[in-house]
Amino acid sequence: MKSLGIDIGSSSVKVSLLDIASGECAASSANPATEMPIGSPQSGWAEQDPEMWWHYVREGIRQIAVKHPMREVAAIGITYQ
């Protein structure tokens, strides 16, 4: 069985697939290749589009799923900045 970890940060979205029995990382991805943009429409504000986060979560899972069947995932953990 595997565990899927998703970390949504301000600069990138990281997805990791861990083997539950061994604790070893089976696969990981980080998207995008460069930092995600942060908007500042006025002084003291910092904004990002949540649709962008969702896009990169899906992309990271797709990248891992190419070699690792998602049917093996028993748990999902999500962290956010």
Side-chain angles (χ1 to χ4, degrees), residues 25-63:
C25 181
S28 64
S29 70
N31 290 289
T34 59
E35 287 191 16
M36 292 188 289
I38 298 175
S40 183
Q42 69 182 51
S43 180
W45 288 24
E47 298 180 351
Q48 285 185 310
D49 182 359
E51 287 295 326
M52 176 179 57
W53 301 332
W54 181 233
H55 168 79
Y56 289 122
V57 166
R58 291 189 327 249
E59 182 61 26
I61 293 170
R62 274 191 211 108
Q63 289 171 346

Side-chain angles (χ1 to χ4, degrees), residues 22 27 33 44 70:
S22 69
M70 290 294 111

